Amino acid sequence: MEMKEHIRNKFAERFGAPEGEFFASAGRINLIGEHTDYNEGFVFPGAIDKVIMAEIRPNGTDKVRVFSIDIDDYAEFGLREEDAPSQSWARYIFGICREIIKRGGKVQGFDAVFAGNVPLGAGLSSSAALESCFAFALNELFNDGKIDKFELAKIGQSTEHNYCGVNCGIMDQFASVFGKKGHLIRLDCRDLSYEYFPFAPENHTLVLVDSRVKHELKDSPYNKRRESCERVAKSLGVPSLRDVSLAELNAVKVTISDEDYRRAKYVIEERDRVLAVCAALERGDYDEVGRMMYATHEGLSKDYEVSCEELDFLADLAKEIGVTGARIMGGGFGGCTINLVRKDLHDKFIAEATKRFAEKYGHEPKVYDVIISDGARRLEA
Ligand code: GLA
């Protein structure tokens, strides 16, 4: 059954008539610029055609009642700080409500049913899709759309920080809110200035290969990576690694730990790679884009140490098969690789990667062709 029909039936069954309104937001890919967002660097993401969709209707009470179709679970909570629900999935929605209220926005009780097809824990930002779907919807339903899109993205990010234990940057929520069909977004995470880049390569396509190694950013070394970067910035007397050159980093090498040095070195190199990739794209130089992607993988694996055996295997395999560029995508510690693949190699790559991965790890990876799509939006009923 179509996702929307499924939601509509569930909503009617749980909450009765009349119908609510439908909203959706998207997961994201990131072509390059990993772990640069919280260092005030650049990122280059885009929203994809995998979404979280919700039907929502104000219920005239001060209670929120939500049903998740995919988790098959129901949660109910009030809108005061002490009413936080126990289920982790419901805390995302609770957090969005609280963050809107904290900023002086309005939220009243509502009923909602939601479902999605953004793979969970694959590095495609299912949580940002959920956050921006509800942030966008509650803005439309209770605030006449007056909260601007930048603020909606920040509301999602603050939800992660304050209610979900992940000290993430702004990339995922920004891509999910600002996503535009057929375009990647170069975002400067320092001042949130951004530019849309048309992305419709003639001879290449983007393919995600999900190792199905699950990652959980909460309590993961993700927050530790961020601490390393902040420590190095502090020791250099600057607010972030954004303005630090390799020469400046090398000048303090002996005064910081080897681990912190490698983390910072990766971030500085990655910051420059994003700009190089944008320039290469404008020239249509996909080989250069691909080289940069492999360099990012190398840095994430050796210096930033957020890869794992399965993802290294997938990136090496891609190179061996002749894929233009491949790298781990997202926070890391599992999830998927993003691959820039020549169209004439597409089928061969997928067949070969699936077979060889399954031979080695005993299960097939999941493969997704990426379609760059719109972000948060209201849907026709
Ligand atoms: C996660 C975070 C983002 C970003 C990426 C790594 O997806 O939510 O803010 O830091 O990891 O680039």
Side-chain angles (χ1 to χ4, degrees), residues 268-328:
I268 293 165
E269 290 169 349
E270 181 73 350
R271 172 200 62 197
D272 296 344
R273 275 192 289 264
V274 180
L275 299 181
V277 161
C278 291
L281 254 194
E282 281 182 323
R283 296 193 305 271
D285 186 350
Y286 289 91
D287 288 340
E288 175 68 359
V289 174
R291 272 193 294 277
M292 294 288 161
M293 290 169 75
Y294 281 118
T296 294
H297 185 86
E298 182 81 9
L300 286 171
S301 178
K302 305 269 162 44
D303 289 331
Y304 220 63
E305 294 182 286
V306 294
S307 188
C308 61
E309 194 197 315
E310 290 86 345
L311 290 163
D312 287 346
F313 179 79
L314 283 172
D316 288 346
L317 193 58
K319 196 176 232 169
E320 191 192 314
I321 298 173
V323 166
T324 310
R327 66 177 195 81
I328 182 173

Side-chain angles (χ1 to χ4, degrees), residues 11 14-16 55-68 73-79 89 93 108-114 134:
F11 190 94
R14 284 239 150 215
F15 303 118
E55 179 175 355
I56 307 182
R57 184 185 67 199
N59 60 19
T61 73
D62 56 1
K63 280 235 155 13
V64 173
R65 308 189 295 172
V66 203
F67 184 75
S68 160
D73 195 16
Y74 173 78
E76 195 175 292
F77 56 82
L79 292 164
W89 65 267
I93 300 167
Q108 288 153 10
F110 60 88
D111 297 335
V113 170
F114 72 95
F134 276 84

Side-chain angles (χ1 to χ4, degrees), residues 128-147:
L130 178 61
E131 289 149 10
S132 44
C133 178
F134 276 84
F136 186 91
L138 301 183
N139 184 31
E140 296 293 308
L141 292 171
F142 299 118
N143 298 277
D144 298 323
K146 285 199 187 108
I147 307 173

Side-chain angles (χ1 to χ4, degrees), residues 28 30 33-38 43 123 125 166 168-173 217 222 330-332:
R28 61 105 190 89
N30 183 26
E34 221 62 88
H35 291 274
T36 43
D37 58 356
Y38 53 81
V43 291
S125 294
V166 180
C168 64
I170 191 75
M171 169 170 72
D172 304 347
Q173 292 77 13
L217 292 187
Y222 179 93

Side-chain angles (χ1 to χ4, degrees), residues 42-113:
F42 298 95
V43 291
F44 201 29
I48 56 173
D49 62 329
K50 304 257 178 284
V51 299
I52 298 282
M53 191 187 288
E55 179 175 355
I56 307 182
R57 184 185 67 199
N59 60 19
T61 73
D62 56 1
K63 280 235 155 13
V64 173
R65 308 189 295 172
V66 203
F67 184 75
S68 160
I69 291 183
D70 303 314
I71 303 171
D72 192 19
D73 195 16
Y74 173 78
E76 195 175 292
F77 56 82
L79 292 164
R80 295 165 313 162
E81 196 63 41
E82 55 272 29
D83 297 333
S86 56
Q87 298 106 309
S88 55
W89 65 267
R91 290 179 70 84
Y92 289 105
I93 300 167
F94 176 75
I96 292 295
C97 296
R98 289 300 315 161
E99 290 298 330
I100 292 179
I101 293 168
K102 278 187 213 167
R103 287 164 166 79
K106 267 198 257 149
V107 181
Q108 288 153 10
F110 60 88
D111 297 335
V113 170

Side-chain angles (χ1 to χ4, degrees), residues 170-322:
I170 191 75
M171 169 170 72
D172 304 347
Q173 292 77 13
F174 195 95
S176 190
V177 171
F178 283 80
K180 178 169 161 184
K181 194 173 174 190
H183 291 77
L184 297 178
I185 314 167
R186 186 183 67 197
L187 171 66
D188 180 339
C189 298
R190 171 135 79 188
D191 59 9
L192 299 190
S193 57
Y194 65 101
E195 194 181 331
Y196 288 113
F197 280 65
F199 186 76
E202 215 174 290
N203 299 317
H204 288 83
T205 170
L206 289 176
V207 178
L208 302 175
V209 182
D210 181 0
S211 63
R212 293 163 67 198
V213 176
K214 285 287 169 219
H215 76 170
E216 173 75 71
L217 292 187
K218 182 172 179 296
D219 300 328
S220 82
Y222 179 93
N223 292 349
K224 295 231 163 53
R225 296 296 180 280
R226 183 169 184 159
E227 285 159 22
S228 276
C229 296
E230 287 168 356
R231 230 179 354 254
V232 176
K234 196 162 168 217
S235 75
L236 280 155
V238 293
S240 72
L241 293 177
R242 163 66 175 265
D243 294 319
V244 177
S245 66
L246 267 185
E248 284 162 336
L249 177 67
N250 286 332
V252 297
K253 188 171 178 186
V254 291
T255 68
I256 58 179
S257 71
D258 175 56
E259 194 175 281
D260 281 359
Y261 171 78
R262 284 183 294 119
R263 306 295 189 244
K265 172 172 157 289
Y266 161 78
V267 168
I268 293 165
E269 290 169 349
E270 181 73 350
R271 172 200 62 197
D272 296 344
R273 275 192 289 264
V274 180
L275 299 181
V277 161
C278 291
L281 254 194
E282 281 182 323
R283 296 193 305 271
D285 186 350
Y286 289 91
D287 288 340
E288 175 68 359
V289 174
R291 272 193 294 277
M292 294 288 161
M293 290 169 75
Y294 281 118
T296 294
H297 185 86
E298 182 81 9
L300 286 171
S301 178
K302 305 269 162 44
D303 289 331
Y304 220 63
E305 294 182 286
V306 294
S307 188
C308 61
E309 194 197 315
E310 290 86 345
L311 290 163
D312 287 346
F313 179 79
L314 283 172
D316 288 346
L317 193 58
K319 196 176 232 169
E320 191 192 314
I321 298 173

